[in-house]
Amino acid sequence: FDPLIERAEARVFRNLDLALWPSDWLTGAIADRYGLSSDRSLTLPWGANVPDPGPVTHPESLRPDRPVNILLVGRDWTAKGGWVTAATVTALREQGIEARLTVIGCTPPSEIKTDALTVYPHLDKTIPEDLAIFQDCFRRAHFLLMPSMESYGFAFCEASAFGLPSLCLDVGGVPVWNGLNGHALPPGSGPDQFAEVIKGYSKQPETHAALRVSARQVYEEQLNWDAWGRKVAQLLQVEVDAIKDPTIKEHP
């Protein structure tokens, strides 16, 4: 960093009454770098950038005798973990599981086999027809698989909105909590590890159905912008009240 910029950022951050960051990773990094205290530098997850699709009523059930639909969303194939995702699909198919991959937002390299691949290089969610395709892809998928290096992943919020479990790496600011709305595997995990998780759920479809329900609940309680707004309002009210009486400050 430019030392001048670094000092300016430090002054700004240290003079804040309240700082809100979308992930524990970023909150911790800021605290370590700038020395912000935990009572005024807090984690508050962001929300999904899609219209609320509503509760999951008829989800695509996971069954041992039917294909497993895997979804990847992102503009950059490599950055979003496309190679690991494709290799996971291959590993599953080699073990007799009919895995299929749908990609939204980019075109996989020519080396990727197309016999189990559907690609939508670009979908504009402001266009009703494109939004319908986008929503249908999320509803038909069994897993969002994105083993990427994320500072924050809105696609994981969107997956939870659809009751779609996410599989990712436990890095950066991914809003994925093990057993609640998916699984964040240790950094360095590869196709074999992701395939094992998917195989486990394929053998126990009822656990996948339960994960769908809890993923939607995570969205309803945390990963939507209305929840974010309500929490911000609460936190701001605490700050206003503390100006009147510093002895009562306690964040909800």
Side-chain angles (χ1 to χ4, degrees):
F1 290 111
D2 184 304
L4 198 61
I5 295 175
E6 179 78 356
R7 289 195 296 272
E9 287 184 341
R11 284 196 302 273
V12 170
F13 290 152
R14 289 168 184 164
N15 286 326
L16 292 175
D17 293 308
L18 182 65
L20 302 175
W21 314 102
S23 69
D24 288 334
W25 167 76
L26 188 53
T27 302
I30 293 293
D32 291 342
R33 192 171 193 92
Y34 299 109
L36 270 64
S37 62
S38 59
D39 67 329
R40 60 191 179 99
S41 182
L42 309 172
T43 300
L44 183 57
W46 291 338
N49 291 327
V50 292
D52 184 353
V56 183
T57 53
H58 300 288
E60 186 77 14
S61 60
L62 184 63
R63 290 170 43 182
D65 60 336
R66 297 186 65 180
V68 177
N69 299 321
I70 296 171
L71 178 65
L72 182 146
V73 180
R75 292 191 178 95
D76 189 316
W77 169 262
T78 299
K80 293 298 180 180
W83 292 105
V84 174
T85 299
T88 301
V89 171
T90 298
L92 289 168
R93 293 177 70 84
E94 289 176 348
Q95 297 175 56
I97 297 176
E98 189 181 349
R100 298 175 179 174
L101 175 61
T102 297
V103 177
I104 296 176
C106 63
T107 301
S110 57
E111 298 95 312
I112 303 301
K113 296 180 180 179
T114 59
D115 55 342
L117 178 66
T118 300
V119 179
Y120 298 98
H122 176 73
L123 291 176
D124 185 340
K125 288 181 286 187
T126 66
I127 300 174
E129 294 80 7
D130 281 11
L131 178 61
I133 294 172
F134 180 89
Q135 293 173 327
D136 186 57
C137 289
F138 274 81
R139 291 192 177 103
R140 288 189 293 105
H142 296 107
F143 296 98
L144 175 73
L145 176 51
M146 286 176 45
S148 55
M149 304 294 288
E150 299 279 356
S151 59
Y152 196 79
F154 286 104
F156 301 118
C157 302
E158 294 164 359
S160 290
F162 287 90
L164 175 62
S166 297
L167 302 179
C168 61
L169 295 174
D170 189 10
V171 295
V174 290
V176 176
W177 297 276
N178 290 327
L180 290 179
N181 63 338
H183 293 273
L185 276 59
S189 297
D192 291 341
Q193 288 73 38
F194 284 106
E196 283 301 312
V197 173
I198 294 171
K199 284 167 54 182
Y201 278 105
S202 296
K203 294 175 182 177
Q204 296 181 305
E206 67 280 1
T207 60
H208 182 264
L211 189 60
R212 276 193 178 279
V213 172
S214 62
R216 171 66 190 186
Q217 186 174 359
V218 168
Y219 164 77
E220 292 176 351
E221 294 178 355
Q222 295 187 67
L223 302 182
N224 69 83
W225 287 110
D226 285 344
W228 182 89
R230 288 192 296 271
K231 186 66 174 181
V232 169
Q234 292 175 17
L235 293 170
L236 291 177
Q237 187 61 57
V238 169
E239 293 298 322
V240 172
D241 292 343
I243 294 174
K244 302 173 183 177
D245 184 354
T247 64
I248 66 172
K249 181 174 178 179
E250 183 178 347
H251 286 301

